[in-house]
Amino acid sequence: MAMAGLYRRILPSPPAIDFASSEGKQLFLESIQRGTMEGFFKLISYFQTQSEPAYCGLASLAMVLNALSIDPGRKWKGPWRWFDESMLDCCEPLEKVKATGISFGKLVCLAHCAGAKVEAFRTNQSTINDFRKYIMACSTSDNCHVISSYHRGTFKQTGTGHFSPIGGYHAGKDMALILDVARFKYPPHWVPLKLLWEAMNTVDEASGRPRGFMLISRLHRAPALLYTLSCKHESWVSIAKFLVDDVPRLLKSEDVKDIRNVLSVILSSLPTHFREFIKWVAEVRTQEEDGSQSLSQEEKERLAIKEELLKQVQEISLYKHVTEFLSSEKSCCKTILGTENVENFPEIAAHVCCQGAGLLSGISGSSQQFCCQATCVKCFKVNGDKPVTVVSGTVVNGSGQQGVDVLVPSSHSELSCCGCGPSNYVGMYPASNDVLTALLLALPPETWSGIKEEKLLQEVHGLVSTENLPTLLQEEVLHLRGQLQLLKRCQDNKVEEDLGAPLF
């Protein structure tokens, strides 16, 4: 009986040369001698096969991010923080990528959202000589890597558009090594660089634009230390539009007289599900990882940075205005944001624990598949350190239950420790005022230009200016601003046309 399916393809050679062939091995050895395989060793250490036929872009990006040792800041499975295709869902729903693949512009957007430095070029924005220069630069270093978007047909291979990282370069024969992430189909192979350029210099039918290449490297520090934007919930499109398009229009149409009026115009009009859009980033772990309630030095350091960032947010003048507005009885945005105080913190804690369980289980998106049976807010001290706030919960789903601990960045106000009574919720953060302050700072500078009264306009500019912020908070705000602009470009379908547009 005939066996169903396909087991690999025969690599058309020429034009490609199988990496594991005698000729491929010789090219490899000669390239090592010339020093143009330095980037190869990191990439091959994290080489992965795409888990879905249309996941070539996601697999290529995950491979490069891990090779650059970029910390995703959230857990993948078990205790491990690790980039996996399932975590790359910032700019395009995974269901859509699984069905139709991902465009060049959306992959650039994903790389930015994941915390990498990205330079992207379509073939009509570059030359083959520039491409060769970039390939050589990344091949002689392990600090940057190239992902190429090309058409397989140019190499006489089956299929159409494809993404894969470039693993090395042979200067003598002007050949590039493609580390094909579809290893179930073709092995890694050498191709003439001129032919690779021709394969990239084809039109992607989905976007109507030429393909190209991107250079990915590390930023000088990890972004999204405490705050991040999310497009897991489908409402992100309308929320991004509201923040970038509608808020400036509202401020221009309303006759605002003071800061309270400005906040009222923005916060009282927030779309439903706004709380799904901006998240605070917490440490999550299973209780089985360490039954002693101790923290590793790494966890302590990350938590200390988050708490310092939280402190910096709470010390600026804008935070005080936001706090006063939210605490007012007339503030009609309470129903959207919640006050995150004694009355509803147990619910928030349960929601956070469910989200953590989803991350630890590798289930992306909604936490609705989990139910939190019980939560407890407690503090503990280790070796004379200051108290650390932990939200613990027992989370269940159809396959069983697990204990989850969430290490919560807390305010510098006095905490009532070690218990589960209402009085212990005082000082639990980040709360709505923290999150909203960060987001208001991250709005584009032109947001406020429609304010008619010059004195008020100058006061607002003073409150939202990033120039005088502490470095840590400034970088966090600029990263949020970049995320917001990227999401807005996605919403406007402009990520394909302005790859080089500045983020800030």
Side-chain angles (χ1 to χ4, degrees):
M1 186 174 71
M3 196 176 297
L6 294 169
Y7 180 71
R8 308 192 72 174
R9 293 278 193 186
I10 301 299
L11 181 71
S13 180
I17 299 173
D18 190 329
F19 178 66
S21 68
S22 298
E23 188 177 358
K25 292 176 184 177
Q26 186 62 36
L27 291 171
F28 175 69
L29 293 174
E30 292 171 359
S31 299
I32 289 179
Q33 292 174 351
R34 289 182 165 94
T36 55
M37 294 298 294
E38 291 301 311
F40 168 83
F41 296 99
K42 280 289 181 69
L43 283 173
I44 205 66
S45 298
Y46 302 97
F47 199 178
Q48 73 181 72
T49 301
Q50 61 191 80
S51 61
E52 296 285 346
Y55 272 12
C56 56
L58 303 188
S60 297
L61 181 56
M63 178 174 160
V64 166
L65 293 171
N66 288 325
L68 290 168
S69 299
I70 294 177
D71 189 336
R74 56 185 175 126
K75 294 189 180 182
W76 163 57
K77 291 182 181 180
W80 305 109
R81 299 195 309 279
W82 183 256
F83 274 110
D84 177 72
E85 297 155 318
S86 63
M87 297 171 66
L88 297 173
D89 55 1
C90 174
C91 302
E92 190 83 302
L94 288 174
E95 294 76 14
K96 185 174 181 182
V97 178
K98 188 175 180 179
T100 61
I102 193 167
S103 68
F104 186 75
K106 291 285 178 69
L107 192 65
V108 172
C109 173
L110 273 178
H112 278 296
C113 281
K117 179 181 177 182
V118 190
E119 295 177 83
F121 306 89
R122 297 190 186 278
T123 52
N124 63 344
Q125 300 168 323
S126 186
T127 66
I128 187 173
N129 290 330
D130 289 334
F131 179 53
R132 183 180 292 108
K133 179 184 68 176
Y134 289 129
I135 289 283
M136 291 183 67
C138 289
S139 296
T140 55
S141 166
D142 58 10
N143 295 323
C144 72
H145 299 290
V146 177
I147 293 178
S148 173
S149 170
Y150 59 94
H151 195 289
R152 284 192 181 277
T154 308
F155 303 126
K156 301 179 182 178
Q157 299 172 4
T158 62
T160 54
H162 191 57
F163 290 96
S164 279
I166 304 301
Y169 177 70
H170 190 290
K173 295 195 175 181
D174 195 28
M175 299 188 80
L177 175 63
I178 295 178
L179 297 180
D180 198 325
V181 291
R183 286 189 289 178
F184 52 82
K185 186 174 184 181
Y186 293 116
H189 47 276
W190 295 92
V191 295
L193 186 134
K194 182 179 179 182
L195 203 59
L196 176 56
W197 177 261
E198 291 177 10
M200 293 193 304
N201 195 25
T202 53
V203 174
D204 176 11
E205 293 180 0
S207 67
R209 292 182 170 84
R211 296 180 169 87
F213 62 98
M214 62 190 79
L215 316 177
I216 302 180
S217 56
R218 285 177 62 95
L219 292 168
H220 68 283
R221 78 156 184 94
L225 293 175
L226 187 56
Y227 304 102
T228 190
L229 302 183
S230 170
C231 63
K232 290 179 182 294
H233 194 281
E234 60 184 10
S235 63
W236 74 264
V237 173
S238 61
I239 296 172
K241 178 182 181 299
F242 170 79
L243 293 171
V244 178
D245 291 342
D246 297 346
V247 168
R249 253 194 316 268
L250 287 169
L251 289 174
K252 189 173 183 179
S253 62
E254 298 283 344
D255 188 20
V256 289
K257 299 296 184 182
D258 54 28
I259 299 299
R260 180 179 175 78
N261 287 160
V262 172
L263 294 177
S264 180
V265 167
I266 300 172
L267 304 185
S268 301
S269 305
L270 289 174
T272 308
H273 304 301
F274 181 81
R275 289 176 65 186
E276 298 296 325
F277 184 64
I278 180 167
K279 303 286 190 181
W280 53 271
V281 182
E283 295 293 320
V284 184
R285 63 182 186 176
T286 61
Q287 292 169 2
E288 289 76 17
E289 287 175 40
D290 191 341
S292 66
Q293 289 193 334
S294 63
L295 294 181
S296 68
Q297 188 60 37
E298 184 185 13
E299 285 176 321
K300 292 178 186 177
E301 289 173 356
R302 286 198 304 275
L303 199 56
I305 293 175
K306 292 176 191 294
E307 292 186 344
E308 174 59 27
L309 184 55
L310 180 56
K311 176 186 174 185
Q312 291 179 4
V313 170
Q314 295 173 357
E315 288 178 343
I316 65 175
S317 298
L318 180 61
Y319 170 83
K320 297 176 177 62
H321 286 285
V322 172
T323 301
E324 290 174 2
F325 179 80
L326 292 180
S327 63
S328 169
E329 292 182 2
K330 296 180 180 178
S331 175
C332 60
C333 58
K334 283 185 180 180
T335 56
I336 296 175
L337 296 169
T339 53
E340 301 195 10
N341 58 13
V342 174
E343 285 71 29
N344 63 10
F345 190 78
E347 179 184 342
I348 293 165
H351 182 65
V352 168
C353 286
C354 288
Q355 284 184 320
L359 288 174
L360 293 173
S361 302
I363 299 175
S364 176
S366 174
S367 60
Q368 294 177 357
Q369 301 173 64
F370 298 89
C371 175
C372 195
Q373 288 185 328
T375 58
C376 179
V377 181
K378 55 190 176 183
C379 302
F380 58 83
K381 295 178 69 173
V382 183
N383 300 326
D385 293 338
K386 67 183 181 66
V388 173
T389 307
V390 178
V391 176
S392 297
T394 301
V395 182
V396 297
N397 65 358
S399 59
Q401 67 179 40
Q402 63 176 315
V404 175
D405 285 338
V406 183
L407 311 182
V408 182
S410 55
S411 75
H412 289 245
S413 59
E414 193 69 27
L415 291 177
S416 176
C417 282
C418 302
C420 301
S423 63
N424 298 289
Y425 303 139
V426 178
M428 298 300 299
Y429 287 101
S432 295
N433 44 1
D434 305 287
V435 172
L436 279 172
T437 300
L439 187 61
L440 288 171
L441 288 170
L443 293 179
E446 59 271 18
T447 298
W448 320 101
S449 59
I451 296 176
K452 300 178 180 66
E453 290 202 14
E454 185 62 28
K455 184 177 179 181
L456 177 59
L457 179 60
Q458 294 305 316
E459 184 180 3
V460 170
H461 280 160
L463 289 172
V464 300
S465 172
T466 59
E467 293 180 3
N468 298 320
L469 294 177
T471 301
L472 192 65
L473 178 56
Q474 184 184 69
E475 291 177 340
E476 190 81 351
V477 167
L478 292 179
H479 175 70
L480 277 177
R481 187 176 295 173
Q483 277 190 310
L484 181 58
Q485 291 190 17
L486 282 169
L487 293 181
K488 185 59 171 60
R489 287 183 206 168
C490 289
Q491 189 259 332
D492 291 342
N493 292 317
K494 290 183 177 179
V495 289
E496 307 301 336
E497 62 191 50
D498 53 358
L499 299 172
L503 290 182
F504 314 128

